[in-house]
Amino acid sequence: MAKQKEFVTSRQNRIKRSPGDACVQVLLYLFVGLFAISTVLPFLYVFAGSFATERELLERKFFVIPTEISLNAYRYIVKDGRVFLGLKNSVIVTLVGTIINMVFSTTLAYPLSRSDFRFRNGVTNMVIVTMLFSGGMVPGYILVTNILHLRDTYWALWLPGAMNAFNMIIIKNYFQGLPKELEEASHIDGASDLQIFVKVVLPLSKPVLASVSLFYAVGHWNAYFNSLLYISEVDMQVVQQILRNVMNQAQMSEMDETLDWGSQGAPPSKAVRMATTVVATVPILLVYPFIQKFFTQGVMVGAVKG
Amino acid sequence: MGKKKVNNELGIVVKKVPLWKDFMRHKWLYFLVIPGILYMLIFNYLPMAGIIMAFQDWKLRIRGHSGIFSSFIYSEWVGLANFEEFFTSKTVNFWNLLRNTLSISLLSLAFFFPAPIILSLMLNELRSMKFKRITQTMVYIPHFVSMVIVATLTQQLFNSSDGIVYEIFKALMGKNAPDVLTDPDLFNVLIVGQSMWKETGYGTIIFLAALSGVDMQLYEAARVDGAGRWRLMWHITLPSIRGTVVIMLIMKCGSILNTGFEQIYLMKNGINSSRAQVFDTYIYERGILSGQYSLSAAAGLFKSVVSLIMVLSANKIAKLCGESGFY
């Protein structure tokens, strides 16, 4: 009887009874909490440092609230202008790139989701092969630069990754999970396959389309390698390239800071680097709270076997 | 459609509709599939065909012939000479590349791979839902920033002239403070550490999803039977994520030689390059910067083939062990 009672009592009571258990809980909170802090602290540190004066950066080792706020670093990068041009370019690359991705992914996903599509297995195998094997970096590079001549155009950033097989399969699986009756009913009403796709299937698939388009969009925004390969024109560089260049440059010419700068003293190159990092990071962090939900959702949809 | 179904139920073999009739009936499906197929043919299959350059002394321009395709036709065939050079020549130093690549990917397999599993088990054990939600929101953040930003943050925090983390190391260890940005021997630690910081949190999503699907009654029943925290974890929690773990492991095995170009390229510098040169960066430097196309295409083919073998055998092993496998 006594034993029976023990199980009925709430979880809270059980913790009190077992000191070992409570200890484990404390350690868990401590560890998880510390890890969570470690993931945001670098951002806070760089954010604070970008507003700091040279003196403060030298005197205080670590701070997340500067005592004296200086906007000089930001005035410097506004005058320099490169990072903002990079942001603009990245917006263009991301928007157009995501639209292209979604067109290629959904149009392929729909026929593959239809069990009455005759070449379904053949095309699916074609997709699986691309997931398992690739021609590698060099043939791909020659294709883009010497056959298609896309160097220094954004098509070089849009076309080579126009469709991601994993994302396409996530969409395909979602299409397959939709109730067949809806499609069949529209079919009987005389709708063509295209009409069913555009007017029935796509509107019903908004959650997965939102998730996958955000996967693609964040991918475009963060991509660096393809622009490193194909974009050398300075005015066309995306924000990731610009950030990288500013970092390297600031490291090399740390001593000879720009001479003609400022009434309150030039911003330290460290603050300029930090401010550039902040400007490059802020856009993604601003949208993060809104897109987090879709990412979790998308990962879960994708987890339902491919 | 209806007719077809009835026939199947009666067990009568449906006569295959002729292709043109199927095409007329579903012409939109045939049209919709075209962009995707064209994309795969051009950007996946054409480069695969381009691999033949690994068996040639491939030249971008050949005297007397114009056009890129004639490069493939008229370049001299050299058999396996490129592979021979790749595996044996001193300038390539294949074993160094292999050692560097494996030292990163094995360390990653040992630490980065289990990290999200452990973190999700921990999150799962937390009782305060509010704390759990807030920490989840925080640990997902680094996934959303680019590798360039991560590299930038690392440089600013760890550099030995004014990096705050380096200062902490110095306070703790004095002269022995590690300069992770330049020390060749710490390069793999740096790379795996960065990956863990960036992706551990986000990696928990997939496991937490699997964990949330576990029937709470199982836990209750086991508790009634007297199972403690660890036994609950061993007998209920872990088996519930086993399938997910196996699939992730198969994918990880396939990428054993894929150390990820971007991250390594960003963290590689003149001082640590003896340990930082991996297959991907080597292919980039030789193939794209120095124009040794055939040699680096051979290196790329080696990498692709090894990855393929790894995925297929991992998949096979998983299936032999009774798991569902990858496909």
Side-chain angles (χ1 to χ4, degrees), chain B residues 17 32 35 51 54 68 72 87 89 103 191 200 206 222 231 242-243 267 290 302 323:
Chain B
V17 197
L32 283 173
I51 286 176
I68 195 78
F72 284 95
F87 289 121
S89 100
S103 82
I191 293 297
T200 297
I206 198 160
R231 301 197 65 176
R242 195 173 59 200
M267 298 319 296
S290 335
F302 164 74
E323 292 294 339

Short mmCIF file of all heavy atoms in Angstrom, two decimals, chain B residues 17 32 35 51 54 68 72 87 89 103 191 200 206 222 231 242-243 267 290 302 323:
data_model
loop_
_atom_site.label_atom_id
_atom_site.label_comp_id
_atom_site.label_asym_id
_atom_site.label_seq_id
_atom_site.Cartn_x
_atom_site.Cartn_y
_atom_site.Cartn_z
N VAL B 17 -1.55 1.41 -70.42
CA VAL B 17 -1.99 2.40 -71.40
C VAL B 17 -0.78 2.76 -72.26
O VAL B 17 0.33 2.90 -71.74
CB VAL B 17 -2.47 3.69 -70.68
CG1 VAL B 17 -3.29 4.54 -71.62
CG2 VAL B 17 -3.22 3.33 -69.43
N LEU B 32 5.48 19.47 -65.95
CA LEU B 32 5.99 19.94 -64.66
C LEU B 32 7.34 19.32 -64.30
O LEU B 32 8.16 19.92 -63.63
CB LEU B 32 4.98 19.63 -63.55
CG LEU B 32 3.76 20.54 -63.48
CD1 LEU B 32 2.77 20.02 -62.45
CD2 LEU B 32 4.17 21.96 -63.13
N PRO B 35 11.51 21.02 -65.78
CA PRO B 35 12.56 21.87 -65.21
C PRO B 35 13.47 21.10 -64.27
O PRO B 35 14.70 21.23 -64.34
CB PRO B 35 11.79 22.95 -64.44
CG PRO B 35 10.40 22.90 -64.92
CD PRO B 35 10.16 21.54 -65.49
N ILE B 51 33.73 14.00 -65.22
CA ILE B 51 34.76 13.29 -64.46
C ILE B 51 35.79 12.63 -65.38
O ILE B 51 36.92 12.39 -64.97
CB ILE B 51 34.10 12.25 -63.51
CG1 ILE B 51 33.45 12.99 -62.35
CG2 ILE B 51 35.10 11.26 -62.97
CD1 ILE B 51 32.70 12.10 -61.41
N ALA B 54 39.41 13.33 -65.33
CA ALA B 54 40.35 12.75 -64.37
C ALA B 54 41.24 11.71 -65.02
O ALA B 54 42.29 11.37 -64.50
CB ALA B 54 39.59 12.12 -63.20
N ILE B 68 34.61 24.21 -75.57
CA ILE B 68 34.99 23.48 -74.37
C ILE B 68 34.83 21.97 -74.58
O ILE B 68 35.59 21.17 -74.03
CB ILE B 68 34.15 23.98 -73.19
CG1 ILE B 68 34.76 23.51 -71.86
CG2 ILE B 68 32.71 23.52 -73.27
CD1 ILE B 68 35.92 24.31 -71.45
N PHE B 72 37.35 18.01 -74.10
CA PHE B 72 37.14 16.67 -73.60
C PHE B 72 37.48 15.63 -74.66
O PHE B 72 37.92 14.53 -74.36
CB PHE B 72 35.68 16.50 -73.15
CG PHE B 72 35.40 17.15 -71.85
CD1 PHE B 72 34.88 18.43 -71.78
CD2 PHE B 72 35.68 16.48 -70.66
CE1 PHE B 72 34.63 19.03 -70.56
CE2 PHE B 72 35.42 17.06 -69.43
CZ PHE B 72 34.90 18.35 -69.39
N PHE B 87 48.07 9.89 -55.49
CA PHE B 87 48.35 9.02 -54.34
C PHE B 87 49.82 8.98 -53.96
O PHE B 87 50.15 8.73 -52.82
CB PHE B 87 47.87 7.59 -54.62
CG PHE B 87 46.37 7.47 -54.63
CD1 PHE B 87 45.70 7.01 -55.75
CD2 PHE B 87 45.63 7.82 -53.51
CE1 PHE B 87 44.32 6.90 -55.75
CE2 PHE B 87 44.26 7.72 -53.50
CZ PHE B 87 43.59 7.27 -54.63
N SER B 89 52.64 11.22 -55.36
CA SER B 89 53.63 12.28 -55.50
C SER B 89 53.84 13.03 -54.19
O SER B 89 52.95 13.14 -53.35
CB SER B 89 53.22 13.25 -56.61
OG SER B 89 52.65 14.40 -56.05
N SER B 103 41.55 13.29 -39.17
CA SER B 103 41.68 13.77 -37.79
C SER B 103 40.54 14.72 -37.46
O SER B 103 40.09 14.79 -36.32
CB SER B 103 43.04 14.45 -37.57
OG SER B 103 43.02 15.77 -38.04
N ILE B 191 38.04 23.29 -35.32
CA ILE B 191 36.96 23.06 -36.27
C ILE B 191 35.79 22.33 -35.61
O ILE B 191 34.64 22.74 -35.75
CB ILE B 191 37.50 22.23 -37.47
CG1 ILE B 191 38.50 23.04 -38.28
CG2 ILE B 191 36.36 21.75 -38.37
CD1 ILE B 191 37.94 24.28 -38.92
N THR B 200 25.08 22.16 -32.46
CA THR B 200 24.56 21.24 -31.44
C THR B 200 23.10 21.55 -31.10
O THR B 200 22.24 20.66 -31.09
CB THR B 200 25.40 21.30 -30.16
OG1 THR B 200 26.72 20.88 -30.47
CG2 THR B 200 24.83 20.39 -29.10
N ILE B 206 15.58 17.37 -34.14
CA ILE B 206 15.14 16.11 -34.71
C ILE B 206 15.00 15.04 -33.63
O ILE B 206 14.07 14.22 -33.65
CB ILE B 206 16.10 15.69 -35.84
CG1 ILE B 206 15.44 14.66 -36.73
CG2 ILE B 206 17.42 15.19 -35.32
CD1 ILE B 206 16.09 14.56 -38.08
N ALA B 222 6.86 1.73 -16.44
CA ALA B 222 8.19 1.32 -16.00
C ALA B 222 8.44 1.78 -14.57
O ALA B 222 9.07 1.08 -13.78
CB ALA B 222 9.24 1.90 -16.94
N ARG B 231 17.41 3.75 -15.84
CA ARG B 231 16.80 2.62 -16.54
C ARG B 231 15.72 3.09 -17.49
O ARG B 231 15.55 2.53 -18.57
CB ARG B 231 16.24 1.62 -15.53
CG ARG B 231 17.35 1.09 -14.60
CD ARG B 231 16.92 -0.15 -13.90
NE ARG B 231 16.71 -1.24 -14.86
CZ ARG B 231 16.42 -2.45 -14.49
NH1 ARG B 231 16.28 -2.73 -13.20
NH2 ARG B 231 16.23 -3.40 -15.36
N ARG B 242 16.53 5.59 -31.52
CA ARG B 242 17.55 4.80 -32.18
C ARG B 242 17.49 4.92 -33.71
O ARG B 242 18.51 5.10 -34.36
CB ARG B 242 17.43 3.34 -31.77
CG ARG B 242 18.65 2.52 -32.13
CD ARG B 242 18.55 1.13 -31.56
NE ARG B 242 17.37 0.45 -32.07
CZ ARG B 242 16.81 -0.61 -31.48
NH1 ARG B 242 17.33 -1.09 -30.37
NH2 ARG B 242 15.75 -1.17 -31.99
N GLY B 243 16.28 4.86 -34.26
CA GLY B 243 16.13 4.95 -35.71
C GLY B 243 16.71 6.25 -36.25
O GLY B 243 17.45 6.25 -37.24
N MET B 267 39.06 29.12 -41.72
CA MET B 267 39.92 29.06 -40.54
C MET B 267 41.37 28.74 -40.87
O MET B 267 42.24 28.81 -40.01
CB MET B 267 39.40 28.00 -39.55
CG MET B 267 38.02 28.25 -38.98
SD MET B 267 37.68 29.97 -38.56
CE MET B 267 38.87 30.26 -37.25
N SER B 290 44.97 27.02 -59.21
CA SER B 290 46.15 26.79 -60.04
C SER B 290 45.84 26.11 -61.37
O SER B 290 46.75 25.89 -62.16
CB SER B 290 47.20 25.94 -59.30
OG SER B 290 47.09 26.04 -57.94
N PHE B 302 38.05 10.44 -56.29
CA PHE B 302 38.43 9.57 -55.17
C PHE B 302 37.50 9.83 -53.99
O PHE B 302 36.95 8.91 -53.38
CB PHE B 302 39.88 9.83 -54.79
CG PHE B 302 40.26 9.29 -53.44
CD1 PHE B 302 40.42 7.93 -53.24
CD2 PHE B 302 40.42 10.15 -52.36
CE1 PHE B 302 40.75 7.43 -51.98
CE2 PHE B 302 40.74 9.67 -51.10
CZ PHE B 302 40.91 8.31 -50.92
N GLU B 323 17.66 -2.14 -38.65
CA GLU B 323 17.14 -0.78 -38.73
C GLU B 323 16.60 -0.53 -40.13
O GLU B 323 16.89 -1.27 -41.07
CB GLU B 323 18.25 0.24 -38.41
CG GLU B 323 18.72 0.19 -36.97
CD GLU B 323 17.63 0.64 -36.00
OE1 GLU B 323 16.69 1.33 -36.42
OE2 GLU B 323 17.73 0.27 -34.82
#
